[in-house]
Amino acid sequence: MQTLIVTGGAGFIGSNFVRYMLNKYPDYRIVVLDALTYAGNLDNLADVWKNPNFSFFKGDINDAALVDNLAQNADAIVNFAAESHNDRAILNPQAAVQSNFNGVWTLLEAARKFKHERFHHISTDEVYGTTDGIFREGDPLEPNQPYSAAKAGGELMVRAYHQTFGLPTIVTRGSNTFGPYHYPEKIIPLFITNLIDDQPVPVYGDGMQVRDWMYVLDHCRGIDIALHHGTPGEVYNVGGDNDRPNMEIVTLLLKFLNKPESLIRHVKDRPGHDRRYSLDVSKMGGLGYRPEKERFEERLKETVDWYVANEAWWRKIKEKQAEYQAFMNQWYAERK
Ligand code: NAD
Ligand code: TYD
């Protein structure tokens, strides 16, 4: 592979992945296609902008003509583009269907037409639904929310393109990811930035929902390994092997920022909220993947430090982006 199209490369995980790939594979060309929705941000790519192996195209993955134009000169697509926030997809399911399902199909068509070597789709552990046990790749998909249902639809179309047309696909189902450039609507960056400003943090319900947390570089490494060494047609769980209730995350953030527990507010729960995710990553282990779970607290502290050092990055969003403010006002007004 020489030329990779990375869709959604101006978002959180996509931009970290672009940086990781340009450093690791100096002979690869990375072409980012991103619609620059509210979550897409060219500031996330500022340090790679001048790299001669990097190029950027603003556009929607549903734009078949543009996708074809880029795909005809590429060897593979890695698809991160999606509406990624559960809460927004509750308010506006249509946008999630449009990007997380329809858009995937447009990309698959191009990959088939131009006989790509790989189509790597970034999925999520949320397609499984909720569990008291542990998710394995063969488990049924029982998504409970518009976001995860649209993601499940997208990855089932990926499966169909492998089975029907022999497209060499890979699906990775990632768990909750954290690190630098994470848009401040998700729990970790929202809570860090609220706490820096001594603002309360809105915990849904009792806060005992469990997520498997993984540092963004672990996620990037997992995708790299599956992209290069995965078996076409297969699905791989990429997780942190690191289950934590939300309240534990909140307690750590309070500790790192030296803030009082009085800033915790228990608010009305998210409808359809999955109680617990937990991921078996042994299949990825067979490809040599191992998350650095023993470094979780250190990585969380580094992430807190990144937000402290990069106030300009998140204040531009929180204080100046109208779409951010409109969503936050509407969503959290309903949680009181
Ligand atoms: P993000 O919201 O930060 O970034 C999404 C990016 O996709 C943005 O740059 C946005 O502009 C772009 N985009 C959205 N719709 C588009 C469209 N129709 N055409 C072109 N570009 C479009 O999201 P993220 O957290 O970086 O997530 C990236 C991917 O990883 C998503 O597919 C998500 O489902 C998946 N994922 C995320 C997590 C997580 O914890 N953040 C965990 C598992 C899987
Ligand atoms: P989130 O970061 O939205 O990721 P996901 O829904 O994909 O897991 O949420 C992580 C957990 O944090 C989830 O259980 C919901 C909870 N949460 C809150 O308690 N308060 C909040 O304001 C947010 C955004 C999330």
Side-chain angles (χ1 to χ4, degrees), residues 166-287:
L167 189 71
T169 59
I170 298 284
V171 171
T172 45
R173 294 187 183 137
S175 66
N176 282 65
T177 306
F178 69 97
Y181 302 103
H182 203 181
Y183 189 85
E185 65 186 351
K186 308 286 166 43
I187 187 170
I188 287 181
L190 173 66
F191 283 21
I192 293 172
T193 55
N194 279 12
L195 291 173
I196 290 173
D197 282 344
D198 294 310
Q199 292 300 308
V201 292
V203 172
Y204 298 160
D206 63 4
M208 293 314 288
Q209 304 86 357
V210 173
R211 296 291 182 265
D212 169 38
W213 285 102
M214 155 170 69
Y215 187 58
V216 66
L217 281 182
D218 279 343
H219 199 163
C220 292
R221 273 192 304 109
I223 294 166
D224 175 19
I225 291 170
L227 172 69
H228 288 95
H229 306 293
T231 303
E234 290 294 311
V235 173
Y236 296 91
N237 287 343
V238 176
D241 195 14
N242 177 45
D243 300 347
R244 311 262 174 167
N246 293 339
M247 284 309 289
E248 193 179 323
I249 303 292
V250 178
T251 304
L252 284 169
L253 297 181
L254 289 170
K255 182 176 93 174
F256 294 147
L257 285 160
N258 196 22
K259 301 288 177 177
E261 280 186 14
S262 57
L263 287 172
I264 297 174
R265 296 279 186 288
H266 288 273
V267 301
K268 193 165 143 199
D269 208 346
R270 164 193 287 171
H273 196 173
D274 287 327
R275 191 70 183 165
R276 182 170 173 276
Y277 302 145
S278 182
L279 218 49
D280 177 359
V281 294
S282 55
K283 188 171 172 184
M284 274 299 295
L287 298 180

Side-chain angles (χ1 to χ4, degrees), residues 41-61:
N41 186 348
L42 293 182
D43 293 349
N44 299 0
L45 295 167
D47 57 338
V48 298
W49 200 256
K50 295 218 169 95
N51 187 314
N53 290 338
F54 168 83
S55 51
F56 179 85
F57 292 83
K58 179 176 188 291
D60 196 305
I61 56 170

